[in-house]
Amino acid sequence: MNDEFSFIRSLIAHRFVESERIEVDVGDDAAVVIPHSDRSLVMTCDTMVETVHFLRKTMSPADIGWKLLASNLSDLAAMGAVPTYALISVAVPPSWQAEEVEEIYHGIYDLAREWKVSLMGGDTVRIPEYLTLTLTLLGEVGRGEALLRSSAKPGDVVFVTGTVGDAAAGLHLLLHHPDQRFNYPALVQAHCRPNPQLHIGKWLVSTRFRPACDDISDGLAQEAWEIAEASQVCIVLDREKIPISEQLLQYAKAVGQDPFEWVWFGGEDYQLIGTVRKEYWAKLKETVKEKGFLLSMIGRVESGTPQVEVESEGIRMVLPKRGYNHFADR
Amino acid sequence: MNDEFSFIRSLIAHRFVESERIEVDVGDDAAVVIPHSDRSLVMTCDTMVETVHFLRKTMSPADIGWKLLASNLSDLAAMGAVPTYALISVAVPPSWQAEEVEEIYHGIYDLAREWKVSLMGGDTVRIPEYLTLTLTLLGEVGRGEALLRSSAKPGDVVFVTGTVGDAAAGLHLLLHHPDQRFNYPALVQAHCRPNPQLHIGKWLVSTRFRPACDDISDGLAQEAWEIAEASQVCIVLDREKIPISEQLLQYAKAVGQDPFEWVWFGGEDYQLIGTVRKEYWAKLKETVKEKGFLLSMIGRVESGTPQVEVESEGIRMVLPKRGYNHFADR
């Protein structure tokens, strides 16, 4: 670790795990922990590059750190897993001050504390340009209990958590109408400080209904396509049932944009899309109210060509399989 | 994953682990594996950035991939651990062709196969410039058996594996005298295709002598300092006993360089430096011959100010605590 960034060592010293599980902490060649013997190990990894995944002008350093961890937590939420440990690699260009890098770690820590993720190491290196961050997240899930993209079956109900499209609308706002940021706080928050749906993922596992599940990182269309292809089913979405926030509708109207461009193809909402047997749906809905979760039925699963269709006023059309491209076309 | 790099998905499909241990393979939101319940989980992470850690003119894409994994394997070797799973993140600039990225993965694979490391995911993203690679490596070690930097004790013998300084000399050669590469193949190989000392690390654990251990990624001086500080001891190295290869001596002479600049401050040798109780040293040496390992006694541990000293012809001097800086001063 570069001496200039030695503060990172003290910053990552907070531990949110029983100390007897940590055999060797940060500071040796590698960290050593004792896993729970009856649980499986879950692993994922996400990278964010300045100008490709974020801009300094739209996100604070702390927001960048928060989002880096949020995107990984969201992957674990989609598996129904509980996060445990993270390793973080930061490639820092000369244009970023050490204090700004410290802010990034504070942002990571704000969210790590919430979900009891212990930072167990990583790497800090120099790069001539473009701050680049990679986070590897480990977690645990009961043996054989992970939620899969491939378990959707014809007859299933399709559901989604929260509202979709807000993060992409928030980015549009920050890029084109930054003076409006205080009028649409939910959109800005969705872009800068997304909340991974770990509680819902864990709860979906606990129901034993074995729903199919995916997190919405690349847009509702893309993720629905992933479930359709992994499960070899046709997913039919009901356009009128997609949950859209008031702020998104208002902002879209104010700036003359089609809200569905963000709803279908906007990314980084980190909500969950899933499918579950029709007979379980009523039971899910009951518990959802008690828990205070927002869960909407947005379509159904049919047999047929693996693809995603949208139904609106009796007309069905194939939804393009188009993912999210952060700054390419906005 | 970017469509352009979809070949990565097929490339990383090779598995070197019993299939019943893999619950969810690459292709879902996260991978899920079943750990061995009686072993601890080891984790490390290293990043390599174009122009900071490697240059296209000195290393082939396959070499870069090999070295990325080698540097992580070396961390596990220093813990006495056995590697299991890797996650790889690659940020690819437009100046790199998809075929070159594929070559990088082939390089990773050449070494992954040797050590039975299964690639369980990662991320592939765009970056405007500077190919940036991050590899997170997981492994296993017996409960409480990991080798630590902090266990050196006064009276210990200091040992090192292999020869040191070769990788830095190899880099010097490739930068300044590339026409000489076929005359010093061992130096070029040390720089481009280093061999992590996993067999020795595992064997050191098996002896139950609990040696202190560190891998030489930032130079012999830096790593000896790390052990001295972590263990709060003074390490005295015997200059005449440091194992130096014939090719390094010849090359240094040919180009008029001080070989000890590379020996002390050259990095990326990925050999191991360690200390062990004096009474165990003789036993270690016996087994070493049978195993075909190269292990040299290079000094001793004393009580006193935590630092590293070099003894030569009766004179002791403090060895500067200076690490390896890839291209800064060569």
Side-chain angles (χ1 to χ4, degrees), chain B residues 48-66:
Chain B
M48 281 170 53
V49 177
E50 188 180 355
T51 73
V52 178
H53 302 94
F54 62 88
L55 301 173
R56 286 181 94 144
K57 72 170 177 174
T58 62
M59 288 177 81
S60 74
D63 289 342
I64 294 165
W66 173 288

Side-chain angles (χ1 to χ4, degrees), chain A residues 23 29 33 40 47 89 136 214, chain B residues 23 29 40-41 47 89 136 214:
Chain A
E23 268 191 41
D29 294 290
V33 298
S40 292
T47 295
S89 154
T136 300
D214 204 352
Chain B
E23 268 191 41
D29 295 289
S40 292
L41 174 68
T47 296
S89 153
T136 300
D214 204 353

